[in-house]
Amino acid sequence: MRRFINDCWNGVMDHEKNPLRHIPNIQVRHMVLQLLAWMWCIMFSLWVGSITVFGFTAVAHAAILAAITITVSTFEIAKRKPDIFTKNKK
């Protein structure tokens, strides 16, 4: 069980093991991980706050599901098209 928890943690938090490893620029990789962490902090705060306000829970659940979708999508894009994070669009 301990190894499973460690593997799950590393699968998300270790930039050399999660799908963001495909982004060649480590600074961009770090920034993307920071943005995802910020998003999850907001989602957790919304969830904890929703415990006291029942009517808000539907919105919080939708927001948490959206956060999961954004995270999975970001990881998939990093795995399949890592250059998209470093290209300068003019």
Side-chain angles (χ1 to χ4, degrees):
M1 183 62 151
R2 196 173 184 160
R3 183 181 171 132
F4 172 75
I5 292 171
N6 190 34
D7 288 344
C8 287
W9 174 267
N10 286 333
V12 174
M13 299 305 291
D14 187 345
H15 71 94
E16 293 180 352
K17 294 183 181 178
N18 70 28
L20 297 179
R21 71 181 179 273
H22 299 287
I23 299 172
N25 186 330
I26 195 163
Q27 293 167 332
V28 173
R29 189 184 322 170
H30 177 75
M31 183 62 182
V32 170
L33 194 57
Q34 287 295 319
L35 290 171
L36 290 172
W38 180 68
M39 176 191 68
W40 278 105
C41 287
I42 291 170
M43 291 303 107
F44 182 74
S45 295
L46 287 172
W47 179 74
V48 169
S50 71
I51 290 172
T52 58
V53 183
F54 180 75
F56 189 65
T57 58
V59 174
H61 280 86
I64 288 172
L65 291 174
I68 291 169
T69 302
I70 291 168
T71 301
V72 170
S73 299
T74 302
F75 281 2
E76 282 299 312
I77 290 170
K79 183 169 71 171
R80 296 175 190 209
K81 298 179 183 180
D83 293 336
I84 201 166
F85 292 98
T86 57
K87 286 184 182 177
N88 290 330
K89 305 238 178 188
K90 294 183 181 179

